[in-house]
Amino acid sequence: MIKNIASQTHLLTLFFSLIFIIYLSACAQEAKISDVSKLSAELFTAIQNKDYDKALTFYSKDFFSMMPPNAWMEHLKDINSKLGDLQEIKLNSKTASTIFSGKRFIFTYTNRYKNGLAKETVVFFQNVKKQEIKIHSHKIESALLPGSRLR
């Protein structure tokens, strides 16, 4: 009986050790909000420089399943034609949350363009299976954009 208890204790120790190792390895690969902040800055630098080809590299396949890359590029160009050049990027908030399938980062901005302001919400996502971080959603609202909720 003592041998049986010792065996069970050993198995429990191994089990919890394995869980702890898996937890540590998952934490080591999880993106930090500072990593996503850098990606966001690179995105807006590309948009500011009108380097739309580079800007498109930050978006996920899921994003492009809703709007093809060429259509999104034309949308960004259309926004530039209405709002003017991006002059100032102002981060309002950034949050991170873990969900079952990965980690989501939500950044909100009030950006100043030559002709006015735009509220932008960019949602980055890091899938559990893929460690890359890509934009899942990007919403741009301004009183200068037709159909925008900001008036």
Side-chain angles (χ1 to χ4, degrees):
M1 182 164 157
I2 293 174
K3 188 176 181 183
N4 193 15
I5 293 172
S7 177
Q8 287 176 350
T9 303
H10 181 69
L11 284 175
L12 280 173
T13 302
L14 283 174
F15 174 75
F16 286 114
S17 296
L18 181 61
I19 295 295
F20 184 68
I21 290 169
I22 291 170
Y23 172 77
L24 286 179
S25 66
C27 289
Q29 296 174 0
E30 191 173 90
K32 296 178 184 154
I33 204 157
S34 60
D35 299 331
V36 182
S37 294
K38 291 176 189 173
L39 288 175
S40 186
E42 290 176 31
L43 166 72
F44 282 112
T45 297
I47 291 172
Q48 205 165 28
N49 294 334
K50 299 180 190 168
D51 188 351
Y52 301 114
D53 287 320
K54 180 171 176 132
L56 292 182
T57 66
F58 294 96
Y59 295 86
S60 69
K61 289 180 183 177
D62 289 337
F63 181 90
F64 289 132
S65 69
M66 295 178 275
M67 179 179 270
N70 288 340
W72 183 246
M73 182 185 288
E74 289 306 313
H75 183 67
L76 291 174
K77 290 176 180 179
D78 185 52
I79 286 170
N80 180 262
S81 73
K82 290 178 172 80
L83 296 179
D85 292 341
L86 177 58
Q87 296 181 336
E88 181 184 358
I89 302 156
K90 181 183 173 212
L91 178 66
N92 295 329
S93 68
K94 53 186 174 180
T95 60
S97 60
T98 302
I99 57 176
F100 181 73
S101 56
K103 192 159 184 179
R104 180 177 31 217
F105 302 87
I106 302 172
F107 285 59
T108 60
Y109 297 87
T110 301
N111 293 337
R112 187 169 52 83
Y113 289 81
K114 182 179 179 185
N115 300 328
L117 298 175
K119 179 184 177 194
E120 300 193 39
T121 304
V122 184
V123 179
F124 291 86
F125 185 71
Q126 180 187 31
N127 191 301
V128 172
K129 295 177 185 174
K130 299 177 187 174
Q131 292 304 308
E132 69 181 3
I133 304 163
K134 293 288 188 175
I135 296 172
H136 186 72
S137 172
H138 186 173
K139 185 173 169 185
I140 305 168
E141 298 175 295
S142 173
L144 300 172
L145 298 174
S148 182
R149 294 186 306 159
L150 296 180
R151 296 267 175 213

